[in-house]
Amino acid sequence: MPAPADPGAPGVGLPEDWPAALAQLDADGRVLAANRAWREQPGLPARVAVQPGAEALTVWHLLPEGVCWALDVQPAAHGGWWCTALRTSAPPRPAPGGFSSRFESELRYWTIFHASSSPILLVGEEGQILEANPAATGLYCYPRELMLQMELAQLMPACPSPARLFATQPETLPAGLHLRQGAESFMAEVTLSYVRLRGVLMAVVLVRDVHEAHLRAALEQHQQRELAHAARLIHAGEMASALAHELNQPLTAIRNFSGVVQRRLEQMGDAARTVREPVQMIAEQALRAGEIVHRIRGFVRKGVPVTAPLNLNEVVRDVIRFNEADARAHGVEIQVLLAEDLPRLNADRLQLEQAISNLVRNGIESMLELPGQRLLRISSSLTVDQQLELRVSDQGGGLAPALAHDPFAPFVTTKPHGMGLGLAICRTIIENHGGRIWVANNSARGCTFCFSLPLPTA
């Protein structure tokens, strides 16, 4: 059916009552206006692959269900095209010597294109999307009609420019970010090849979703780094144990010799009074250093947990003595509010010391960048349900968002050089003793770590 007289202005004079589907196209093949018959057909494209400078051409448009449209395209005076669509369920029989082989080839191509499980896009020389198969529309979550109005760069922000896209040989682009509808991003690889249909050069963009593989590779790299860090920590622990063993003898000698000096000074009477106090301090510090070495060896010593009746407040005081030098060095004041006459509990002393020490050190480190007063409050109490409860409250920046879901998860940390095992170890120790541990942000600033332990049954 011939096109109507060209009125010049797009959309003007379109015969609404024509039985044939008729549309006006711009110079690039986009539909500018269409009559009722065209609009009522759901399978007609929003863009037709036209060839600039052609007198007339027929474009075959195959739908996935096997319906074929013959699109008769003719030049229009307004610089675009007239397009008449004819629906057919089978390809027309060409005359002898015609284009049967080309048509059949195109028909097979379109059949494979729509049936492929791999996402495929056809892209024009200006970067516009000319066609998308069902796998591509499913991957990007856009309807086909909307994708045919988009540029490739809207799906691939880092895609090459149209000039570079068509200047390269067939190649596979490295994995990059792609965007689904709703701005959801994912990683995908792209393989480029080229095809010419009815004289129109198109880029065939084959997309492969590698997002899950990319996440697995990133996770494996992270775990390898953490395992390497753990290996270094194990080595450092072995060195610390060996060093503690070697330091034990000279520290014992210092204590013995300082005792000899003290006894000699006692014999000298008041003449040695000014020297007696420094020597006494030397002896006390040597004894304290010996206790530290003993604790280090206890931390790294192998063996099964040994539970025994102990006083929670005594364990807390020992931990504070162990960390008081670090607290003073960082200007942190430790306030102790321990309830008196607490009943004894059965626990492994070394493990409990380790859990409390981790919480105290976390509290100190959370306030390193805090101006003004830095206060760490440690309190113990007996709850109404006969549980011993310990609270360690700091004035730091509070619980980081990255830890909000599960603060005690292993390998999760906000410290630049942290491994994310301290709180996980605390939870394991407390839960192995039948207790529970939790954390909450304070009303003003900072957060409070709490754990409760059950009392032994009668």
Side-chain angles (χ1 to χ4, degrees):
M1 184 176 292
D6 194 336
V12 177
L14 272 175
E16 281 289 310
D17 297 330
W18 270 31
L22 179 66
Q24 274 186 301
L25 315 178
D26 65 9
D28 295 322
R30 296 184 181 88
V31 175
L32 297 177
N35 67 352
R36 184 185 301 112
W38 182 289
R39 295 194 302 269
E40 290 176 350
Q41 298 297 331
L44 290 175
R47 184 198 294 262
V48 179
V50 297
Q51 182 178 2
E55 292 295 330
L57 68 156
T58 299
V59 178
W60 299 100
H61 182 66
L62 181 67
L63 298 181
E65 57 269 21
V67 176
C68 185
W69 286 91
L71 305 178
D72 180 56
V73 182
Q74 300 180 28
H78 67 269
W81 306 81
W82 285 108
C83 181
T84 305
L86 177 63
R87 177 171 174 168
T88 175
S89 59
R93 294 182 177 275
F99 299 97
S100 59
S101 59
R102 182 176 68 181
F103 176 78
E104 291 172 2
S105 175
E106 290 181 8
L107 188 60
R108 286 193 296 269
Y109 177 86
W110 285 110
T111 302
I112 296 172
F113 176 84
H114 286 282
S116 174
S117 60
S118 299
I120 306 175
L121 302 171
L122 293 183
V123 180
E125 293 184 89
E126 295 182 0
Q128 73 276 22
I129 298 175
L130 300 178
E131 189 57 83
N133 71 345
T137 59
L139 176 65
Y140 290 101
C141 302
Y142 282 104
R144 175 177 171 273
E145 294 76 13
L146 185 56
M147 290 189 72
L148 299 186
Q149 303 174 27
M150 299 172 63
E151 307 286 335
L152 182 61
Q154 294 176 256
L155 304 179
M156 299 171 50
C159 75
S161 63
R164 181 169 173 265
L165 189 68
F166 282 85
T168 58
Q169 297 296 320
E171 61 174 332
T172 299
L173 302 181
L177 281 179
H178 290 227
L179 297 178
R180 291 190 176 96
Q181 188 174 26
E184 179 188 355
S185 61
F186 65 98
M187 298 294 293
E189 288 180 351
V190 166
T191 300
L192 294 175
S193 58
Y194 304 93
V195 65
R196 187 177 294 275
L197 294 176
R198 300 285 178 172
V200 179
L201 181 62
M202 305 179 189
V204 181
V205 180
L206 179 64
V207 184
R208 186 164 69 94
D209 186 353
V210 296
H211 192 68
E212 293 298 327
H214 179 78
L215 291 180
R216 285 195 299 270
L219 179 60
E220 289 175 0
Q221 292 178 359
H222 175 74
Q223 290 175 338
Q224 287 175 357
R225 290 194 298 266
E226 296 298 344
L227 287 174
H229 187 197
R232 292 195 297 270
L233 289 177
I234 293 171
H235 184 58
E238 293 172 350
M239 292 173 59
S241 179
L243 184 61
H245 176 74
E246 296 297 329
L247 287 175
N248 193 48
Q249 290 183 349
L251 287 174
T252 302
I254 292 173
R255 291 198 302 273
N256 292 337
F257 285 126
S258 62
V260 173
V261 173
Q262 282 182 303
R263 287 192 295 272
R264 295 285 180 88
L265 292 175
E266 291 292 338
Q267 297 172 1
M268 295 175 63
D270 292 340
R273 181 171 53 83
T274 57
V275 182
R276 192 179 298 122
E277 184 177 356
V279 174
Q280 177 67 28
M281 294 177 63
I282 291 174
E284 291 177 354
Q285 293 301 316
L287 180 63
R288 182 172 179 273
E291 292 177 354
I292 293 174
V293 169
H294 177 72
R295 291 175 187 275
I296 292 175
R297 296 185 66 184
F299 276 136
V300 299
R301 184 175 63 242
K302 293 182 179 179
V304 297
V306 178
T307 61
L310 55 84
N311 186 294
L312 178 62
N313 289 347
E314 291 179 359
V315 177
V316 172
R317 292 188 183 100
D318 287 344
V319 170
I320 293 174
R321 282 196 294 269
F322 190 65
N323 290 277
E324 61 183 356
D326 189 40
R328 285 197 303 269
H330 293 98
V332 176
E333 177 188 352
I334 299 180
Q335 185 181 68
V336 182
L337 303 171
L338 303 179
E340 298 297 332
D341 300 325
L342 290 179
R344 300 171 74 85
L345 58 86
N346 286 330
D348 185 295
R349 186 182 187 93
L350 282 175
Q351 288 191 359
L352 200 56
E353 284 181 349
Q354 182 178 3
I356 299 173
S357 182
N358 284 348
L359 298 180
V360 170
R361 291 188 62 83
N362 277 353
I364 294 173
E365 292 174 359
S366 71
M367 296 184 286
L368 295 183
E369 305 299 328
L370 182 69
Q373 184 185 26
R374 302 171 181 176
L375 180 64
L376 183 70
R377 183 179 290 106
I378 304 174
S379 62
S380 64
S381 63
L382 180 65
T383 64
V384 294
D385 57 347
Q386 297 300 299
Q387 300 261 331
L388 290 183
E389 184 174 287
L390 186 76
R391 292 175 172 267
V392 180
S393 180
D394 61 65
Q395 294 180 332
L399 198 61
L403 303 176
H405 176 65
D406 186 1
F408 303 97
F411 303 109
V412 178
T413 180
T414 57
K415 301 176 185 177
H417 304 292
M419 191 174 178
L421 289 176
L423 293 179
I425 291 173
C426 290
R427 178 167 64 180
T428 300
I429 292 174
I430 298 302
E431 290 181 351
N432 285 345
H433 283 78
R436 69 184 188 94
I437 186 170
W438 68 96
V439 61
N441 282 320
N442 299 334
S443 57
R445 68 181 184 186
C447 62
T448 300
F449 282 89
C450 313
F451 69 77
S452 61
L453 294 172
L455 294 174
T457 55

Coordinates of all heavy atoms in Angstrom, one line a residue, residues 350-400:
L350 N 41.9 -17.5 82.9 CA 42.7 -16.9 81.8 C 41.7 -16.5 80.6 O 41.9 -15.4 80.0 CB 43.7 -17.9 81.2 CG 45.0 -18.0 82.1 CD1 45.9 -19.1 81.5 CD2 45.7 -16.7 82.1
Q351 N 40.7 -17.4 80.3 CA 39.8 -17.0 79.3 C 39.0 -15.8 79.6 O 38.7 -14.9 78.8 CB 38.9 -18.2 78.9 CG 39.6 -19.4 78.2 CD 38.6 -20.4 77.7 OE1 37.4 -20.3 77.9 NE2 39.2 -21.4 77.0
L352 N 38.5 -15.8 80.9 CA 37.7 -14.6 81.3 C 38.5 -13.3 81.3 O 38.1 -12.3 80.9 CB 37.2 -14.9 82.7 CG 35.9 -14.1 83.1 CD1 34.8 -14.2 82.1 CD2 35.5 -14.5 84.5
E353 N 39.8 -13.4 81.7 CA 40.7 -12.3 81.6 C 40.8 -11.8 80.2 O 40.9 -10.6 79.9 CB 42.1 -12.6 82.2 CG 42.1 -12.7 83.7 CD 43.5 -13.0 84.3 OE1 44.3 -13.4 83.4 OE2 43.7 -12.9 85.5
Q354 N 41.0 -12.8 79.3 CA 41.2 -12.4 77.9 C 39.9 -11.7 77.4 O 40.0 -10.6 76.7 CB 41.4 -13.6 77.0 CG 41.7 -13.3 75.5 CD 42.0 -14.5 74.7 OE1 42.0 -15.6 75.2 NE2 42.3 -14.3 73.5
A355 N 38.7 -12.2 77.7 CA 37.5 -11.5 77.2 C 37.3 -10.1 77.8 O 37.1 -9.2 77.0 CB 36.3 -12.4 77.6
I356 N 37.6 -9.9 79.1 CA 37.5 -8.6 79.7 C 38.5 -7.7 79.1 O 38.3 -6.5 78.9 CB 37.5 -8.7 81.2 CG1 36.4 -9.6 81.7 CG2 37.5 -7.3 81.9 CD1 36.5 -9.9 83.2
S357 N 39.8 -8.2 79.0 CA 40.8 -7.4 78.4 C 40.5 -6.9 77.0 O 40.8 -5.7 76.7 CB 42.1 -8.2 78.4 OG 43.2 -7.4 78.0
N358 N 39.9 -7.7 76.2 CA 39.5 -7.3 74.8 C 38.5 -6.2 74.9 O 38.7 -5.2 74.1 CB 38.9 -8.5 74.1 CG 40.0 -9.5 73.6 OD1 41.2 -9.2 73.6 ND2 39.5 -10.6 73.1
L359 N 37.6 -6.2 75.8 CA 36.6 -5.2 75.9 C 37.2 -3.9 76.4 O 36.8 -2.8 75.9 CB 35.4 -5.6 76.8 CG 34.6 -6.8 76.4 CD1 33.5 -7.2 77.4 CD2 34.0 -6.6 75.0
V360 N 38.1 -4.0 77.4 CA 38.8 -2.8 77.9 C 39.6 -2.1 76.8 O 39.6 -0.9 76.7 CB 39.6 -3.2 79.1 CG1 40.5 -2.0 79.6 CG2 38.7 -3.6 80.3
R361 N 40.4 -2.9 76.1 CA 41.2 -2.3 75.1 C 40.4 -1.7 74.0 O 40.8 -0.7 73.4 CB 42.2 -3.4 74.5 CG 43.2 -3.9 75.5 CD 44.2 -4.8 74.8 NE 44.9 -4.1 73.7 CZ 46.0 -3.3 73.9 NH1 46.5 -3.1 75.2 NH2 46.6 -2.7 72.9
N362 N 39.3 -2.4 73.6 CA 38.4 -1.8 72.6 C 37.9 -0.4 73.1 O 37.8 0.6 72.3 CB 37.2 -2.7 72.3 CG 37.6 -3.8 71.3 OD1 38.6 -3.7 70.7 ND2 36.7 -4.7 71.1
G363 N 37.5 -0.3 74.4 CA 37.0 0.9 74.9 C 38.1 2.0 74.9 O 37.8 3.2 74.5
I364 N 39.3 1.6 75.2 CA 40.4 2.6 75.2 C 40.7 3.1 73.8 O 40.8 4.3 73.5 CB 41.7 2.0 75.8 CG1 41.5 1.7 77.3 CG2 42.9 2.9 75.6 CD1 42.6 1.0 77.9
E365 N 40.7 2.2 72.8 CA 41.0 2.5 71.4 C 39.9 3.4 70.8 O 40.2 4.1 69.9 CB 41.3 1.3 70.6 CG 42.6 0.5 71.0 CD 42.7 -0.8 70.3 OE1 41.8 -1.1 69.5 OE2 43.8 -1.5 70.5
S366 N 38.7 3.2 71.3 CA 37.6 3.9 70.7 C 37.6 5.4 71.0 O 37.0 6.2 70.4 CB 36.2 3.4 71.2 OG 36.0 3.7 72.5
M367 N 38.4 5.8 72.0 CA 38.5 7.2 72.5 C 39.8 7.9 72.1 O 40.1 8.9 72.6 CB 38.3 7.3 74.0 CG 36.9 6.8 74.4 SD 36.6 7.0 76.2 CE 37.6 5.7 76.8
L368 N 40.6 7.2 71.3 CA 42.0 7.8 71.0 C 41.9 9.1 70.3 O 42.7 10.0 70.5 CB 42.7 6.8 70.1 CG 43.1 5.5 70.7 CD1 43.9 4.6 69.7 CD2 43.9 5.7 72.0
E369 N 40.9 9.4 69.5 CA 40.7 10.6 68.7 C 39.8 11.6 69.5 O 39.4 12.6 68.9 CB 40.2 10.4 67.3 CG 41.0 9.4 66.5 CD 42.5 9.9 66.3 OE1 42.7 11.1 66.2 OE2 43.4 9.1 66.3
L370 N 39.4 11.2 70.7 CA 38.3 12.0 71.4 C 39.0 13.2 72.1 O 39.9 13.0 72.9 CB 37.6 11.2 72.4 CG 36.5 11.8 73.2 CD1 35.3 12.1 72.3 CD2 36.0 10.9 74.3
P371 N 38.6 14.4 71.9 CA 39.1 15.6 72.6 C 38.6 15.6 74.0 O 37.5 15.1 74.3 CB 38.7 16.8 71.8 CG 37.5 16.4 71.1 CD 37.6 14.9 70.9
G372 N 39.3 16.3 75.0 CA 38.8 16.4 76.3 C 38.9 15.2 77.1 O 39.8 14.3 76.9
Q373 N 38.0 15.0 78.1 CA 38.0 13.9 79.0 C 37.7 12.6 78.4 O 36.8 12.5 77.6 CB 37.1 14.2 80.2 CG 37.1 13.1 81.3 CD 36.1 13.3 82.3 OE1 35.0 13.9 82.1 NE2 36.3 12.8 83.5
R374 N 38.5 11.6 78.7 CA 38.3 10.3 78.2 C 38.0 9.3 79.4 O 38.9 9.1 80.2 CB 39.4 9.8 77.4 CG 39.8 10.7 76.2 CD 41.1 10.3 75.5 NE 41.4 11.2 74.4 CZ 42.5 11.1 73.7 NH1 43.4 10.2 74.0 NH2 42.8 12.0 72.8
L375 N 36.8 8.8 79.5 CA 36.4 8.1 80.7 C 35.9 6.7 80.2 O 35.1 6.6 79.4 CB 35.3 8.8 81.4 CG 34.8 8.1 82.7 CD1 35.9 8.0 83.7 CD2 33.6 8.8 83.3
L376 N 36.5 5.7 80.8 CA 36.1 4.3 80.6 C 35.5 3.8 82.0 O 36.2 3.7 83.0 CB 37.3 3.4 80.2 CG 36.9 1.9 79.9 CD1 36.1 1.9 78.6 CD2 38.2 1.1 79.7
R377 N 34.3 3.4 82.0 CA 33.6 3.0 83.2 C 33.4 1.5 83.2 O 32.8 0.9 82.2 CB 32.3 3.7 83.3 CG 31.5 3.4 84.6 CD 30.2 4.2 84.8 NE 30.5 5.6 85.0 CZ 30.3 6.5 84.1 NH1 29.9 6.2 82.9 NH2 30.5 7.8 84.4
I378 N 33.8 0.8 84.2 CA 33.6 -0.7 84.4 C 32.8 -0.9 85.6 O 33.2 -0.5 86.7 CB 35.0 -1.4 84.4 CG1 35.9 -1.0 83.2 CG2 34.8 -2.9 84.5 CD1 37.3 -1.6 83.3
S379 N 31.8 -1.7 85.5 CA 30.9 -1.9 86.6 C 30.5 -3.4 86.6 O 30.3 -4.0 85.6 CB 29.7 -1.0 86.6 OG 28.9 -1.3 85.5
S380 N 30.2 -3.9 87.9 CA 29.7 -5.3 88.0 C 28.5 -5.2 88.9 O 28.4 -4.4 89.8 CB 30.8 -6.2 88.6 OG 31.2 -5.8 89.9
S381 N 27.7 -6.2 88.8 CA 26.4 -6.3 89.6 C 25.9 -7.7 89.5 O 26.2 -8.5 88.7 CB 25.4 -5.3 89.1 OG 25.0 -5.6 87.7
L382 N 24.9 -7.9 90.4 CA 24.2 -9.2 90.5 C 22.7 -8.9 90.0 O 22.1 -8.0 90.6 CB 24.2 -9.8 91.9 CG 23.4 -11.1 92.1 CD1 24.1 -12.2 91.3 CD2 23.3 -11.4 93.6
T383 N 22.3 -9.5 89.0 CA 21.0 -9.2 88.4 C 19.9 -9.9 89.2 O 20.1 -10.8 90.0 CB 20.9 -9.7 86.9 OG1 21.0 -11.1 86.9 CG2 22.0 -9.0 86.1
V384 N 18.6 -9.5 88.9 CA 17.5 -10.1 89.7 C 17.3 -11.6 89.4 O 16.8 -12.3 90.2 CB 16.2 -9.3 89.3 CG1 16.3 -7.9 89.8 CG2 16.0 -9.3 87.8
D385 N 17.8 -12.0 88.2 CA 17.7 -13.5 87.9 C 19.0 -14.2 88.2 O 19.3 -15.3 87.7 CB 17.3 -13.7 86.4 CG 18.4 -13.0 85.5 OD1 19.2 -12.2 86.0 OD2 18.3 -13.3 84.3
Q386 N 19.7 -13.7 89.2 CA 20.9 -14.3 89.8 C 22.0 -14.6 88.7 O 22.5 -15.7 88.6 CB 20.5 -15.6 90.5 CG 19.6 -15.4 91.7 CD 20.2 -14.5 92.8 OE1 21.3 -14.9 93.3 NE2 19.7 -13.4 93.0
Q387 N 22.3 -13.6 87.9 CA 23.4 -13.6 87.0 C 24.4 -12.6 87.3 O 24.0 -11.5 87.8 CB 22.9 -13.4 85.5 CG 21.8 -14.4 85.0 CD 22.4 -15.4 84.2 OE1 23.4 -15.2 83.5 NE2 21.8 -16.6 84.2
L388 N 25.7 -12.9 87.1 CA 26.7 -11.9 87.3 C 26.9 -11.1 86.0 O 27.1 -11.7 85.0 CB 28.0 -12.5 87.7 CG 28.1 -13.1 89.1 CD1 29.5 -13.6 89.4 CD2 27.7 -12.1 90.2
E389 N 26.8 -9.8 86.1 CA 26.8 -8.9 84.9 C 28.0 -7.9 85.0 O 28.2 -7.3 86.1 CB 25.5 -8.2 84.8 CG 25.4 -7.4 83.5 CD 24.0 -6.7 83.3 OE1 23.1 -7.5 83.0 OE2 23.9 -5.5 83.5
L390 N 28.7 -7.8 83.9 CA 29.8 -6.8 83.8 C 29.5 -5.9 82.6 O 29.1 -6.3 81.6 CB 31.1 -7.5 83.6 CG 32.3 -6.6 83.6 CD1 32.7 -6.2 85.0 CD2 33.5 -7.3 83.0
R391 N 29.7 -4.6 82.9 CA 29.5 -3.6 81.9 C 30.8 -2.8 81.7 O 31.4 -2.3 82.6 CB 28.4 -2.6 82.3 CG 27.0 -3.3 82.3 CD 25.9 -2.3 82.8 NE 24.6 -2.9 82.7 CZ 23.8 -2.7 81.6 NH1 24.2 -1.8 80.6 NH2 22.6 -3.2 81.5
V392 N 31.1 -2.6 80.4 CA 32.3 -1.8 80.0 C 31.8 -0.7 79.1 O 31.4 -0.9 77.9 CB 33.4 -2.6 79.3 CG1 34.6 -1.7 78.9 CG2 33.8 -3.7 80.2
S393 N 31.8 0.6 79.6 CA 31.2 1.7 78.9 C 32.2 2.7 78.5 O 33.0 3.1 79.4 CB 30.1 2.3 79.7 OG 29.5 3.4 79.1
D394 N 32.3 3.1 77.2 CA 33.2 4.2 76.8 C 32.5 5.4 76.3 O 31.3 5.4 76.3 CB 34.1 3.6 75.7 CG 33.3 3.2 74.4 OD1 32.8 4.1 73.8 OD2 33.3 2.0 74.1
Q395 N 33.3 6.4 75.9 CA 32.7 7.7 75.4 C 33.2 7.9 74.0 O 33.4 9.1 73.6 CB 33.1 8.8 76.3 CG 32.5 8.8 77.7 CD 32.9 9.9 78.6 OE1 34.0 10.5 78.4 NE2 32.1 10.3 79.5
G396 N 33.4 6.9 73.2 CA 33.9 7.0 71.9 C 32.8 7.4 70.9 O 31.8 8.0 71.2
G397 N 33.0 7.0 69.6 CA 32.1 7.3 68.6 C 30.9 6.4 68.5 O 30.1 6.6 67.6
G398 N 30.7 5.5 69.3 CA 29.6 4.6 69.3 C 29.8 3.4 68.3 O 30.9 3.3 67.7
L399 N 28.8 2.6 68.2 CA 28.9 1.4 67.3 C 28.9 1.8 65.8 O 28.0 2.5 65.4 CB 27.8 0.5 67.6 CG 27.9 -1.0 67.1 CD1 29.1 -1.6 67.8 CD2 26.7 -1.8 67.5
A400 N 29.9 1.4 65.1 CA 30.0 1.8 63.7 C 28.9 1.1 62.9 O 28.5 0.0 63.2 CB 31.4 1.4 63.1

